[in-house]
Amino acid sequence: MEVTVGTAALALALLLLPVLYERSGSFRFFCKMGFYNGWILLLALVAIPLCALRGRDVENMKIIRGLMQHVKHLYGIRMAVRGAQHFPPRQPYVVVSNHQSSLDLLGMMEVLPDRCVPIAKRELLYMGAVGVACWLGGIIFIDRKRTHDAISVMAEAAHTMLSQDVRVWVFPEGTRNHSGSMLPFKRGAFHLAVQAQVPVVPIVISSYQHFYSKRERRFTAGQCVIQVLPPLPTRGLGPADVPALTERVRAAMLEAFEALSAELRPTAPPPAPQ
Ligand SMILES: CCCCCCCCCCCCCCC(=O)SCCNC(=O)CCNC(=O)[C@H](O)C(C)(C)COP(=O)(O)OP(=O)(O)OC[C@H]1O[C@@H](n2cnc3c(N)ncnc32)[C@H](O)[C@@H]1OP(=O)(O)O
Ligand SMILES: CCCCCCCC/C=C\CCCCCCCC(=O)OC[C@@H](O)COP(=O)(O)O
């Protein structure tokens, strides 16, 4: 009898889930974000044995990129890449891009150049299978609480970029930013580019505001533009030039971000006929 009541309660709860999903925006938001994280965890489990054949190697980022590229379709996110011709061919460079949310992974995987690895907070290493996949992909981890150590890791990265022909992707805001603008940029990425004497390639991911908002618990289908801006050379620059370079790149990115936000902002529906 107890089993029957339990089973009936479970069946009722399962029947109610679609209704709740249909009626509650917040429930839908949490389901979608839960599925996003769960799906990436599952993809990481698939990636691990494939990547393990090579060991820790930047070439494994191709496997991770390939496995991630369908995820946008699951969410109805249409992505357009502009300015891909700006990627310098056959040379190392530092990519810098804005960082709004963990959804940035989708934009990153849309344009990630070959032999390019992100710099990530070290906490990612402890996310189970995701951490293992990131390690196998050659992702560079920094401890944000230890500035001196983070700078040493970046200095080592400058060497690796040149000796092993590697490109590096940095989020110079240093953290996710949902404000609809850009935080001040930290200078690590620009020191890295100047130390290695390689160009900086700015990439702007358009605002998610019209289809995704963590604060409002809103996540619908939508459109996202990833704009690659012209590279800035650093040849001949030294440490004293880093602040001006940082500000120049941020100004260019902010201008492009605002232009994209204006372009993609949904136009108000026409007034209803009287
Ligand atoms: C198949 C499925 C598998 C799924 C796998 C999916 C994988 C995808 C993974 C994607 C990961 C994305 C993760 C994104 C993140 O984790 S973002 C967070 C981490 N990233 C950053 O923080 C990068 C940006 N931060 C910096 O550049 C900082 O400057 C940093 C180097 C970290 C140091 O930060 P902080 O401690 O806050 O110090 P300051 O920035 O204030 O710097 C202090 C002074 O040092 C100078 N400086 C900085 N860097 C250098 C350097 N490299 N060399 C020399 N000097 C440096 C800096 O200019 C400051 O001095 P001044 O004030 O300018 O005098
Ligand atoms: C054994 C432990 C198991 C833990 C399992 C955790 C499961 C998590 C599963 C999938 C996570 C997928 C998300 C990948 C990471 C996205 C990158 C990202 O956006 O990192 C945030 C970082 O840029 C800035 O961090 P903060 O904004 O400063 O914070």
Side-chain angles (χ1 to χ4, degrees):
M1 182 63 184
E2 258 175 37
V3 173
T4 322
V5 171
T7 313
L10 185 66
L12 186 66
L14 286 176
L15 278 173
L16 282 176
L17 284 181
V19 178
L20 199 56
Y21 188 85
E22 197 56 46
R23 299 238 170 133
S24 162
S26 296
F27 184 68
R28 227 168 20 244
F29 177 85
F30 286 120
C31 285
K32 286 186 168 183
M33 288 317 288
F35 182 82
Y36 181 73
N37 289 332
W39 193 245
I40 290 178
L41 202 55
L42 204 72
L43 292 173
L45 286 170
V46 176
I48 289 170
L50 300 175
C51 294
L53 294 172
R54 280 200 193 96
R56 179 164 158 86
D57 191 320
V58 295
E59 285 294 324
N60 282 333
M61 283 311 293
K62 285 185 187 156
I63 297 176
I64 292 173
R65 184 180 65 191
L67 284 169
M68 287 285 296
Q69 276 178 342
H70 69 283
V71 178
K72 61 180 181 290
H73 299 301
L74 303 179
Y75 288 89
I77 299 173
R78 298 181 309 285
M79 285 191 166
V81 178
R82 296 182 188 164
Q85 75 278 6
H86 290 311
F87 281 120
R90 294 180 295 279
Q91 75 167 100
Y93 45 84
V94 175
V95 172
V96 291
S97 86
N98 55 317
H99 197 12
Q100 302 175 71
S101 138
S102 59
L103 292 187
D104 295 338
L105 285 187
L106 305 182
M108 173 191 265
M109 296 304 169
E110 196 69 12
V111 288
L112 190 78
D114 287 346
R115 297 191 67 75
C116 183
V117 286
I119 288 197
K121 59 177 182 180
R122 139 190 191 97
E123 290 84 337
L124 223 60
L125 255 182
Y126 307 116
M127 285 191 180
V130 171
V132 178
C134 287
W135 184 84
L136 286 166
I139 288 178
I140 299 166
F141 296 98
I142 52 167
D143 186 343
R144 291 182 295 183
K145 292 189 205 84
R146 294 171 182 260
T147 303
H148 185 74
D149 290 358
I151 291 176
S152 305
V153 171
M154 305 276 268
E156 210 176 296
H159 259 279
T160 312
M161 288 178 80
L162 298 175
S163 62
Q164 295 176 31
D165 182 28
V166 170
R167 292 119 192 207
V168 173
W169 184 304
V170 185
F171 290 102
E173 291 169 278
T175 187
R176 286 166 290 186
N177 162 40
H178 314 275
S179 75
S181 184
M182 278 181 214
L183 298 175
F185 281 5
K186 290 182 174 278
R187 293 179 179 155
F190 307 93
H191 278 290
L192 172 61
V194 166
Q195 279 160 15
Q197 295 281 284
V198 298
V200 175
V201 181
I203 294 187
V204 176
I205 304 176
S206 65
S207 169
Y208 302 144
Q209 285 292 331
H210 57 284
F211 67 90
Y212 171 88
S213 163
K214 189 175 179 180
R215 193 168 41 86
E216 295 166 27
R217 293 176 188 160
R218 177 167 50 76
F219 191 178
T220 61
Q223 193 191 352
C224 174
V225 174
I226 299 141
Q227 176 139 23
V228 185
L229 299 180
L232 286 92
T234 63
R235 195 157 290 280
L237 300 189
D241 300 306
V242 165
L245 176 68
T246 307
E247 291 318 312
R248 205 172 141 205
V249 172
R250 184 173 181 276
M253 289 175 64
L254 197 54
E255 188 185 341
F257 182 77
E258 283 167 358
L260 287 174
S261 301
E263 179 189 329
L264 297 176
R265 192 171 297 130
T267 44
Q274 297 295 316

